[in-house]
Amino acid sequence: MLLLACGASGVGKTTARLHARRLLDDTYETAELFTLGPIPAVPTIAWRQEQVEAAVLRAIALEAEGRHLLFAGDPVPLGEALAAPSADRIDIAACLLDVNEEAHLARLAQRNEPEELIPLHQGFVTWLRAHATDPGHVTEAITTDAWPAMRWERWVGRTPGPEWAMTVLDTSRLAPEQVGAEVTDWCRRAVAGDAPVFRAGWFRDRAVDQV
């Protein structure tokens, strides 16, 4: 299974991956973009999406060994994982690490984030929160300038429904080790079938809504 822990900058994705790596057994591998290959001087949306496909392919290889991949640490939304060319061959579960405005601003300040970028980070938090329940919300946020191989037709055009579900974890008041423990627990629940999972080929079960 591919386990995607997603979220905006400052919500604790890399922290969660590092803690989870220590808490999970060896049936789990963890990864983020820099572990899958070199990062270009100017990363693009298309490059990121190509790397998501690399993560999907790694998850498929691990599945053949009875193992799973936790992919966390980068701003990769659920929709990108589901649209990766090979994503129809693997079960995918997603957990959105959410954060309230006060905590988010404090974390960005700790990271000395340039002030002019703060509104972009805040906007991404809002978009991810909507994307968690509505696949039709401002889809151009990730489909514009995309890698041509992406299979957006799997979900673009759908309306909210029971098949579009992910786990949402509010990290606003959690210490780093608590975020890691919560993500670890989510991984285990998803693998056991006790958390929302997009099963391989899920999009074939229901025709895309006409809009």
Side-chain angles (χ1 to χ4, degrees), residues 177-199:
E177 62 274 12
Q178 291 176 308
V179 177
E182 292 282 352
V183 169
T184 298
D185 178 67
W186 163 72
C187 287
R188 292 169 175 155
R189 288 188 291 110
V191 168
D194 296 327
V197 176
F198 290 81
R199 299 297 179 186

Side-chain angles (χ1 to χ4, degrees), residues 1-4 6 49 52-53 55-56 71 76-94 131-132 134-135 142 147 149-156 158 163-166 196-204:
M1 181 180 293
L2 174 63
L3 299 146
L4 173 69
C6 55
Q49 292 166 354
V52 173
E53 169 70 355
V56 168
F71 186 44
V76 174
L78 168 63
E80 285 189 338
L82 295 177
S86 300
D88 59 342
R89 299 164 49 196
I90 188 80
D91 291 348
I92 297 176
H131 184 64
D134 181 5
I142 56 175
W147 182 34
M150 296 293 276
R151 301 295 302 276
W152 303 114
E153 71 277 7
R154 292 174 183 161
W155 60 267
V156 169
R158 289 178 179 262
E163 79 284 357
W164 188 267
M166 62 187 298
V197 176
F198 290 81
R199 299 297 179 186
W202 67 277
F203 52 89
R204 301 187 185 95

